[in-house]
Amino acid sequence: MISRKKMETEKAPYTMDEKQYQRFPVTKQAFAIVSTRDKGEPSYLGFLDKMHATLGQRMQKNQEGYTQTDNALDLGANALNLILGSYGFPNSQLLKWNPLFTPEFLVGNRVEKEPDVLAEMAKQAAKWYGSDLTGITELDEKWIYSQEMSKPFILTEDGAAEETEEAYYLPKSMNRAVVMAFLMDEPMIGTSPELPASTATSLGYSRMGITAVSLAEYIRALGYQAIPCMNDTAISIPLAVDAGLGQLGRHGLLITPEYGSNVRLCKVLTDMPMTPDKPIDFGVTQFCENCLLCAEHCPSGSISNGKPAMQTEYETGNDGVLKWFVHAEECLHFWQENGASCANCITVCPFTFGFESMQCFECERCESWDRGCVLQDNTIYRRKNGYLKQDTWASRAEVLSPKRRGL
Ligand code: SF4
Ligand code: SF4
């Protein structure tokens, strides 16, 4: 496996126009726009009603992939997500910004160690609580949402993080984010767009909720402030890119070297002084330019098959970062028609399950880059099953040999 050290870069692998970029409000997310339109009042999860109605119809017909049994497994998988944070709303449920159980005498009683040591401690704890990949970044204010559904996020010069009736206040001293990725069940994600893929997602949410809440409490018990976040408070994908977990793909998702896009993301914001990780570049952008598989397999046609751009006409997009924009509203409409969330773009991505020979021939990385091919060496498919046959033009990749020794 190509080491992460070899992929490290000094600068995060994206291009920004700082003059164009504005902090993004949650109210412009597709979840909020579709839900608010459906319900006729401000709503974030209201879009689920139509999705569940379709699922109910499919269950009644006992349609394969959408049966009562499938639904039962999903409800079990999602239970802890709903108890802990319901996908993520700031300072709510167990995602409280204040300590949950840490005794008063430990609050603010800082364990002083070198930033490298504190970073390692946080990573070890995150791993132990359930994270599959953990990175640390300086918290770039750009990625903090400007606005929740009803009130703004305001950055303050000092003090503690707090919520009032008017706003959420975040002190600038909370300048680190521990970003975590959670591998989702591969066979289940592979059933997309059927319900078991949604179930893998639900379990990912439950697992990330447990870990975010646990890690935040650990950091508080070390005497520092910590905010556990699921989808809320700051945008997870750019934070994950900054923290060196992976790169942004054409489908608008993070791609990690180890698991491709088959991950869910959460983060803990803190003032614990930890050494940040470096971002990585393993050629995703160049690869996506030629690949297009996610765009071809997207049932709602939401993924661009054109060039990356700085600006978008989509209401849910945010100008100022060079990327492929995704028509997220259309994506959600498909979820509603389907009766379950979709993960086709995750499953077809070669970084998730291994490459196909076509992409290998089309990719120019081997000739242009000296760091080796992550697709060939790092995909979880390859690590689990061994090397793939590379010389078959336009046919599915085939496992040639058992797992190679040393991998
Ligand atoms: S989740 Fe499905 S519908 Fe949405 S962008 Fe991905 S492939 Fe398209
Ligand atoms: S499927 Fe291909 S184009 Fe889409 S994100 Fe993955 S590598 Fe990029």
Side-chain angles (χ1 to χ4, degrees):
M1 177 164 164
I2 297 170
S3 77
R4 281 181 155 265
K5 206 84 203 130
K6 279 194 178 166
M7 303 175 200
E8 282 180 358
T9 58
E10 290 306 317
K11 197 180 156 299
Y14 48 74
T15 307
M16 281 202 77
D17 180 347
E18 303 273 354
K19 286 195 195 115
Q20 267 191 66
Y21 184 86
Q22 305 274 330
R23 276 169 57 207
F24 190 66
V26 166
T27 45
K28 276 181 69 183
Q29 276 187 11
F31 294 129
I33 287 180
V34 174
S35 297
T36 301
R37 204 173 288 145
D38 281 1
K39 305 305 274 181
E41 60 183 18
S43 167
Y44 189 74
L45 293 177
F47 79 95
L48 288 171
D49 291 356
K50 279 192 184 168
M51 191 172 103
H52 290 154
T54 312
L55 176 60
Q57 290 161 8
R58 291 188 138 188
M59 264 199 287
Q60 276 179 350
K61 292 182 195 154
N62 204 26
Q63 225 173 307
E64 197 182 330
Y66 303 85
T67 64
Q68 185 179 350
T69 312
D70 292 321
N71 187 45
L73 200 60
D74 184 46
L75 289 176
N78 208 27
L80 274 166
N81 165 38
L82 298 180
I83 291 167
L84 291 156
S86 302
Y87 306 97
F89 292 90
N91 198 26
S92 72
Q93 296 176 251
L94 295 188
L95 303 178
K96 287 280 177 211
W97 288 5
N98 289 323
L100 296 173
F101 306 109
T102 300
E104 191 81 8
F105 73 95
L106 290 180
V107 175
N109 190 36
R110 295 181 163 199
V111 171
E112 305 282 355
K113 291 189 187 291
E114 290 298 316
D116 280 358
V117 177
L118 290 172
E120 198 47 39
M121 284 165 62
K123 285 183 192 173
Q124 285 300 325
K127 186 176 176 190
W128 196 64
Y129 294 137
S131 170
D132 291 310
L133 289 175
T134 308
I136 294 168
T137 178
E138 276 182 43
L139 176 58
D140 189 331
E141 292 168 10
K142 287 195 295 283
W143 310 135
I144 297 172
Y145 287 115
S146 60
Q147 162 93 29
E148 240 298 311
M149 287 302 287
S150 62
K151 53 192 174 186
F153 286 99
I154 295 176
L155 300 168
T156 57
E157 291 305 321
D158 49 30
E162 65 165 340
E163 178 187 357
T164 68
E165 284 193 6
E166 291 77 39
Y168 297 96
Y169 295 95
L170 288 170
K172 290 184 177 178
S173 57
M174 297 193 78
N175 58 10
R176 291 287 182 275
V178 184
V179 193
M180 294 163 279
F182 299 80
L183 174 64
M184 297 188 283
D185 186 271
E186 292 159 26
M188 287 178 86
I189 276 289
T191 66
S192 175
E194 293 180 356
L195 183 55
S198 250
T199 304
T201 303
S202 299
L203 193 63
Y205 271 109
S206 287
R207 288 181 56 217
M208 81 187 204
I210 293 170
T211 307
V213 167
S214 304
L215 185 69
E217 199 64 9
Y218 169 72
I219 292 174
R220 290 161 181 155
L222 293 175
Y224 298 91
Q225 292 190 73
I227 295 181
C229 310
M230 294 169 73
N231 288 351
D232 56 289
T233 307
I235 314 173
S236 296
I237 293 175
L239 285 175
V241 172
D242 288 352
L245 295 191
Q247 285 183 257
L248 183 69
R250 179 187 286 274
H251 51 9
L253 303 172
L254 183 78
I255 298 182
T256 66
E258 291 85 355
Y259 311 124
S261 293
N262 192 19
V263 290
R264 295 238 73 79
L265 298 171
C266 73
K267 63 271 178 189
V268 171
L269 314 183
T270 179
D271 56 1
M272 190 158 83
M274 297 173 288
T275 308
D277 291 295
K278 287 191 174 157
I280 56 173
D281 185 344
F282 53 106
V284 166
T285 311
Q286 300 98 306
F287 194 87
C288 286
E289 275 165 14
N290 296 317
C291 170
L292 295 164
L293 266 181
C294 53
E296 285 163 13
H297 287 83
C298 172
S300 61
S302 304
I303 300 174
S304 161
N305 55 12
K307 298 263 175 229
M310 275 283 182
Q311 285 172 311
T312 176
E313 75 264 29
Y314 302 143
E315 204 181 341
T316 54
N318 200 19
D319 296 345
V321 180
L322 188 67
K323 62 183 177 186
W324 288 279
F325 285 94
V326 173
H327 198 340
E329 271 185 74
E330 282 306 308
C331 166
L332 269 198
H333 287 145
F334 174 72
W335 294 16
Q336 292 179 319
E337 286 162 22
N338 180 48
S341 64
C342 168
N344 282 16
C345 44
I346 295 176
T347 60
V348 299
C349 180
F351 285 98
T352 302
F353 288 122
F355 73 96
E356 293 188 40
S357 55
M358 248 337 229
Q359 283 91 54
C360 194
F361 282 112
E362 283 169 1
C363 174
E364 290 162 2
R365 285 193 64 244
C366 300
E367 286 156 31
S368 63
W369 229 32
D370 60 0
R371 290 193 245 186
C373 177
V374 173
L375 265 181
Q376 289 189 20
D377 284 353
N378 281 35
T379 63
I380 187 164
Y381 189 56
R382 176 161 286 226
R383 280 199 289 132
K384 277 192 168 170
N385 299 309
Y387 273 65
L388 305 181
K389 195 171 177 178
Q390 302 175 38
D391 56 358
T392 331
W393 182 259
S395 63
R396 265 206 93 78
E398 184 188 329
V399 178
L400 273 186
S401 61
K403 191 171 168 177
R404 202 176 71 159
R405 239 181 304 158
L407 283 179

